[in-house]
């Protein structure tokens, strides 16, 4: 797939853009993924406080699916070994950011894969976030071409890869994880079985910190009454 012509067009536009536009894209491409991180944390915090087991499962799976998408993208990148366009494309404008070193391959874009995965996972957890996170993911992908470090096909397929991995993970694991969340919240009925495997009932306390006590705001009395495991 040859998108070098489109790469020249985008980087030429970037080279002639006002300085404030260049700086804005540089900042976004460097730090924009933190926005997705904050959103992932906010969705989890909201779900653990007020959500049912399924909502918590979706919130917990979102960062896990995003991390897996990054790992898959990195594996593909190491297999394909496509050179960066900032070294390979003749006649293109100089990149706004320094060209990554040799061996830091181009296809697919990890930034695009992470943004695509986070966007899909967040939308599956909270649908009304779609008008926010989908444009942000597209903007992240475009910024990688704008600053000159990726081909257009790197970011397009990175988005597709990340989004697909996230969707598959969430669809496959939501049921089992939701069942686990319900078990942790129930606490008492599971405590004996957990203790039989050599894990102290106090471990449920850590689980409830992760899942939240549930909409009712109460954990099992068995867990609350275990010495050394003071629960609200």
């Amino acid at each position: 797939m040859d998108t070098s012509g489109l790469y020249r067009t985008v980087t030429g536009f970037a080279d002639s853009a006002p300085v404030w536009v260049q700086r804005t894209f540089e900042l976004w491409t460097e730090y924009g993924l933190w926005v997705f991180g904050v959103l992932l944390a906010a969705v989890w915090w909201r779900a653990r406080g007020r959500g049912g087991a399924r909502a918590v499962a979706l919130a917990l799976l979102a960062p896990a699916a995003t991390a897996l998408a990054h790992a898959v993208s990195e594996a593909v990148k190491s297999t394909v070994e496509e050179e960066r366009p900032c070294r390979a494309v003749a006649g293109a404008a100089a990149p706004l950011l320094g060209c990554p070193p040799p061996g830091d391959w181009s296809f697919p874009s990890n930034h695009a894969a992470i943004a695509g995965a986070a966007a899909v996972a967040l939308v599956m957890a909270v649908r009304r976030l779609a008008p926010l996170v989908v444009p942000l993911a597209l903007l992240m992908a475009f910024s990688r071409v704008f600053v000159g470090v990726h081909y257009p096909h790197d970011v397009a397929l990175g988005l597709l890869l990340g989004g697909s991995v996230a969707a598959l993970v969430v669809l496959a694991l939501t049921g089992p994880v939701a069942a686990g969340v319900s078990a942790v919240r129930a606490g008492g009925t599971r405590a004996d079985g957990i203790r039989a495997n050599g894990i102290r009932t106090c471990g449920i306390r850590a689980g409830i910190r992760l899942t939240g006590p549930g909409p009712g705001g109460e954990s099992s009395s068995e867990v609350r009454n275990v010495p050394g495991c003071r629960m609200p």
Side-chain angles (χ1 to χ4, degrees), residues 29-225:
T29 205
E30 289 281 0
Y31 303 110
L33 291 180
W34 285 99
V35 174
F36 290 98
V38 170
L39 289 171
L40 289 167
V43 166
W44 164 73
W45 186 257
R46 179 180 181 277
R48 75 177 294 279
R50 295 188 289 171
R54 179 177 172 81
V56 174
L58 290 169
L60 290 173
L61 283 170
T66 302
L68 180 60
H70 179 211
V72 172
S73 176
E74 190 62 40
V76 174
K77 186 188 290 281
S78 298
T79 300
V80 176
E81 296 186 352
E82 177 188 73
E83 187 58 271
R84 293 277 181 168
C86 39
R87 272 190 296 276
V89 178
L96 299 182
L97 296 180
C99 196
D104 187 348
W105 307 112
S106 189
F107 178 85
S109 164
N110 282 341
H111 280 70
I114 293 169
V120 167
L122 284 166
V123 170
M124 294 179 78
V126 183
R127 291 186 179 181
R128 63 177 176 273
L129 285 176
L132 172 63
V133 297
V134 171
L136 289 180
L138 294 173
L139 184 61
M140 174 55 69
F142 177 73
S143 73
R144 303 304 289 168
V145 183
F146 188 90
V147 300
V149 295
H150 278 291
Y151 290 102
H153 67 264
D154 294 340
V155 300
L157 293 177
L159 284 172
L160 180 61
L161 175 65
S164 298
V165 169
L168 289 173
V169 169
V170 172
L171 288 172
L173 297 181
T174 297
V177 173
V181 170
S182 296
V184 169
R185 285 177 166 179
T189 57
R190 298 284 182 175
D192 292 336
I194 295 173
R195 201 183 301 120
N197 290 326
I199 301 175
R200 293 174 60 85
T201 308
C202 279
I204 298 176
R205 179 182 181 183
I208 292 177
R209 288 184 184 276
L210 187 65
T211 66
E218 295 184 357
S219 55
S220 164
S221 59
E222 179 176 345
V223 177
R224 290 198 307 270
N225 295 331

